[in-house]
């Protein structure tokens, strides 16, 4: 049997499906119809990606980036992410001395970019960014800076960075969460070490609480970069499981979550 679009289903089936939904997450998924990742590389140029596999959606009858107008869709924005790229203006030359057209290229070796404030009402010259590289190093820049300032601290290897309660927070590979003073680039320890045995830590904010997802792999994760942040050795083992921990800020301890209920972390 071939695939069928939701809009082609008989209308009498929709109430029957709706009555069988048990949780709030099931209802949201059913009402949304689809969950997509929209990437805007240049103003007006949209590309669609699967949010789980991050594979690009080429085209379909209902999702075509050439005809999709987000102003005509009833959408709910779940989250927003930034990417760091290099813009080469008209007339710039490559190392070989050849002219080429203006283009935007991704910078290799970058794992994550976080900007704050991330608001359409904020002027660009008021923003600051932190760049997390694949080898765990951290760089900082404000609007107008020509290069990143390395954040040299006692723990040079970080796994994740987010904005939480209007502040930059990082987690290192021991599971210690710290917040960053942007004026001095010094770190202030915010949590005790996490006693998880996973190989990679991820920070998540949900419902005003701070969580760490401890990821387990089926092998060793090895990453090595050269001086130009190009990946030379990059071993990507498969993910085999997660453990979720919530920070009890009142008691200053990690609490292992046995169930997320109707929540879903992506």
């Amino acid at each position: 049997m071939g695939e069928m679009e939701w809009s082609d289903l008989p209308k009498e089936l929709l109430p029957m499906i709706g009555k069988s939904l048990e949780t709030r997450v099931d209802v949201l998924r059913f009402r949304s119809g689809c969950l997509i990742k929209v990437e805007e590389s240049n103003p007006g140029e949209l590309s669609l990606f699967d949010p789980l596999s991050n594979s690009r959606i080429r085209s379909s009858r209902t999702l075509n980036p050439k005809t999709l107008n987000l102003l005509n869709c009833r959408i709910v924005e779940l989250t927003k992410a930034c990417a760091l790229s290099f813009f080469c203006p008209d007339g710039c030359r490559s190392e070989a001395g050849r002219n080429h057209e203006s283009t935007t290229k991704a910078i290799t070796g970058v794992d994550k970019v976080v900007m704050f404030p991330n608001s359409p009402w904020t002027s660009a010259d008021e923003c600051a960014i932190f760049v997390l590289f694949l080898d765990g190093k951290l760089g900082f820049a404000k609007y107008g800076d020509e290069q990143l300032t390395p954040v040299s601290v006692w723990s040079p290897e970080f796994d994740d960075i987010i904005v939480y309660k209007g502040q930059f927070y990082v987690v290192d590979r021991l599971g210690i969460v710290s917040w960053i003073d942007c004026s001095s680039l010094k770190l202030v320890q915010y949590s005790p070490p996490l006693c998880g045995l996973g190989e990679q830590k991820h920070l998540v904010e949900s419902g005003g609480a701070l969580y760490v997802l401890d990821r387990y792999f089926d092998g060793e994760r090895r990453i090595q970069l050269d001086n130009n942040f190009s990946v030379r050795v990059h071993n990507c083992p498969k993910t085999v499981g997660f453990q979720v921990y919530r920070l009890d800020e009142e008691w200053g301890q990690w609490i292992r979550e046995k169930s997320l209920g109707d929540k879903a972390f992506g």
Side-chain angles (χ1 to χ4, degrees):
M1 179 181 295
E3 295 184 358
M4 178 177 292
E5 304 291 343
W6 279 97
S7 57
D8 295 333
L9 290 175
K11 294 183 179 181
E12 59 270 15
L13 287 181
L14 300 182
M16 296 174 60
I17 297 174
K19 291 179 181 179
S20 65
L21 303 178
E22 298 179 352
T23 67
R24 178 173 174 268
V25 173
D26 290 336
V27 174
L28 289 175
R29 289 172 176 168
F30 177 69
R31 291 178 59 187
S32 65
C34 64
L35 187 66
I36 60 172
K37 176 182 175 181
V38 181
E39 179 180 289
E40 186 176 15
S41 55
N42 294 307
E45 295 183 9
L46 302 179
S47 299
L48 305 183
F49 295 83
D50 184 286
L52 299 180
S53 66
N54 206 37
S55 59
R56 186 169 184 172
I57 301 174
R58 297 300 177 182
S59 63
S60 69
R61 184 171 58 179
T62 57
L63 294 178
N64 190 332
K66 294 183 179 180
T67 60
L68 177 64
N69 186 349
L70 297 181
L71 297 178
N72 296 332
C73 303
R74 185 179 179 182
I75 62 173
V76 177
E77 182 180 293
L78 300 181
T79 187
K80 182 182 293 185
C82 300
L84 188 65
S85 59
F86 171 75
F87 177 74
C88 184
D90 292 328
C92 67
R93 293 178 176 270
S94 64
E95 294 181 357
R98 292 174 301 192
N99 290 326
H100 54 82
E101 297 179 356
S102 60
T103 183
T104 301
K105 296 182 178 180
I107 299 177
T108 59
V110 173
D111 184 35
K112 188 174 183 179
V113 180
V114 180
M115 180 174 67
F116 184 80
N118 189 8
S119 169
W121 310 109
T122 303
S123 174
D125 56 7
E126 299 176 7
C127 296
I129 66 168
F130 277 94
V131 180
L132 178 63
F133 293 93
L134 288 172
D135 63 348
K137 300 298 192 297
L138 199 62
F140 172 79
K142 294 184 295 185
Y143 180 82
D145 291 349
E146 295 184 356
Q147 61 184 5
L148 292 171
T149 301
V151 180
S152 300
V153 293
W154 45 267
S155 178
E157 295 184 350
F158 298 100
D159 271 348
D160 200 5
I161 179 170
I162 64 170
V163 175
Y164 174 64
K165 294 183 177 180
Q167 194 82 31
F168 289 101
Y169 283 78
V170 293
V171 60
D172 65 19
R173 296 183 179 176
L174 297 177
I176 299 176
V177 178
S178 305
W179 63 270
I180 306 175
D181 183 346
C182 293
S183 59
S184 64
L185 295 185
K186 293 183 178 180
L187 272 72
V188 179
Q189 184 171 335
Y190 186 69
S191 79
L194 182 66
C195 296
L197 300 177
E199 289 80 16
Q200 188 175 20
K201 312 295 189 289
H202 301 273
L203 287 171
V204 176
E205 185 275 330
S206 179
L210 187 64
Y211 295 82
V212 164
L213 277 62
D214 201 13
R215 179 185 293 208
Y216 291 77
F217 296 108
D218 62 356
E220 182 183 359
R221 187 168 58 111
R222 296 185 297 111
I223 298 172
Q224 181 179 348
L225 307 179
D226 61 19
N227 293 332
N228 295 322
F229 300 108
S230 297
V231 179
R232 296 178 60 188
V233 179
H234 190 185
N235 182 35
C236 295
K238 294 182 179 179
T239 300
V240 295
F242 287 93
Q243 295 289 347
V244 181
Y245 298 86
R246 176 177 56 85
L247 179 62
D248 187 327
E249 300 184 44
E250 182 177 356
W251 293 96
Q253 62 183 5
W254 292 105
I255 299 176
R256 180 179 172 182
E257 297 289 324
K258 298 181 178 180
S259 173
L260 293 179
D262 62 354
K263 296 180 181 179
F265 294 161

